[in-house]
Amino acid sequence: MTAQYQIIVQNLSSQPADFYAFQDQAKFQNAGSPASIKSSCLAGSSLAPHATSGSQLKFSFDKQDYAGAIGIGANEVVTRFNARISLDTTESVGIQTSAAQPISLTPLAAGQKADNYSTMSLNPLGLSTPIEKQGLPGGYFGVEIPVYTPSPTPELFCGCATINQNGTIVLSSFVSPHPNSQLYCAPVSKYFVKVGDFEVGAVVPYDTSHAATCDFTLGYQVIKVVYNPDGTFTTTGS
């Protein structure tokens, strides 16, 4: 089993509450303006008050980094796709494919090797087994984007991914990449928990205010998040 980070959520308020989690937005190079980066819900559920139910939530995320891509079928309206990354909710997409590959980040120290680069293919969509590529910035992985003709509505998305227990691929941070380019992505092992009701895979506003910060870059394996009666969060790591 892949090693995982775990977030344990307890609701100390007197009412049931909905909680969702999303990842710190990745950094991208050769991806256009930062405003084009989107984030999606990675986990979410309703939670009863702990005092009367004894219940808690556990959100688990792989430590392994994944490169991911999702393609929308030609001539379809981009609204909702297989990983349930939703750009709208008014219509549904009928054809979509997704791909993900475990990938390594470029080491920060010179002279170290890593399989940090994958090549995207189209028709059908796929990502190659990563290989080592020199010259990438430290902390990034790379994806070679093929030549394609973007439509007025984006039909191709790429970034860092997670894989749910049912095998569904969800893009955590993603962009619509430029054709015939090299996309570099630097994911961060930091997550946020907020009050709100979102489906897994739904695009969420990247707003970290009034959120619990779960920063696994500090060396924690498990972080406990407590939702207090006054609407604030308290976090402790171990």
Side-chain angles (χ1 to χ4, degrees), residues 15-212:
Q15 299 294 325
D18 294 310
F19 299 94
Y20 71 99
F22 60 99
Q23 192 171 3
D24 195 9
Q25 205 165 66
K27 296 179 181 179
F28 289 88
Q29 293 188 15
N30 300 340
S33 65
S36 65
I37 302 173
K38 297 184 181 297
S39 299
S40 59
C41 173
L42 300 181
S45 184
S46 181
L47 184 61
H50 185 72
T52 57
S53 68
S55 62
Q56 63 184 24
L57 293 175
K58 182 172 74 172
F59 298 148
S60 299
F61 304 105
D62 285 355
K63 294 182 180 181
Q64 171 67 57
D65 292 301
Y66 294 90
I70 290 180
I72 307 303
N75 301 319
E76 297 285 350
V77 177
V78 178
T79 56
R80 184 180 298 273
F81 34 107
N82 191 14
R84 292 184 295 172
I85 297 175
S86 174
L87 302 183
D88 199 327
T89 58
T90 57
E91 299 182 43
S92 295
V93 167
I95 303 172
Q96 64 280 315
T97 54
S98 56
Q101 285 281 8
I103 200 165
S104 299
L105 305 183
T106 305
L108 298 176
Q112 297 182 0
K113 296 184 177 182
D115 294 329
N116 58 352
Y117 196 79
S118 177
T119 298
M120 179 187 294
S121 57
L122 299 176
N123 302 316
L125 177 70
L127 292 170
S128 68
T129 301
I131 62 172
E132 180 190 3
K133 184 176 178 64
Q134 298 292 327
L136 271 67
Y140 285 75
F141 66 78
V143 177
E144 184 171 331
I145 308 299
V147 175
Y148 73 99
T149 302
S151 69
T153 303
E155 295 179 341
L156 183 65
F157 302 94
C158 186
C160 56
T162 63
I163 300 179
N164 289 339
Q165 291 182 348
N166 65 1
T168 300
I169 297 168
V170 177
L171 297 185
S172 174
S173 290
F174 60 100
V175 297
S176 182
H178 295 314
N180 194 27
S181 67
Q182 294 182 342
L183 178 67
Y184 299 155
C185 176
V188 181
S189 298
K190 181 191 295 185
Y191 301 83
F192 299 96
V193 175
K194 293 192 72 169
V195 175
D197 183 14
F198 290 95
E199 292 183 358
V200 172
V203 171
V204 296
Y206 185 70
D207 180 5
T208 61
S209 62
H210 309 294

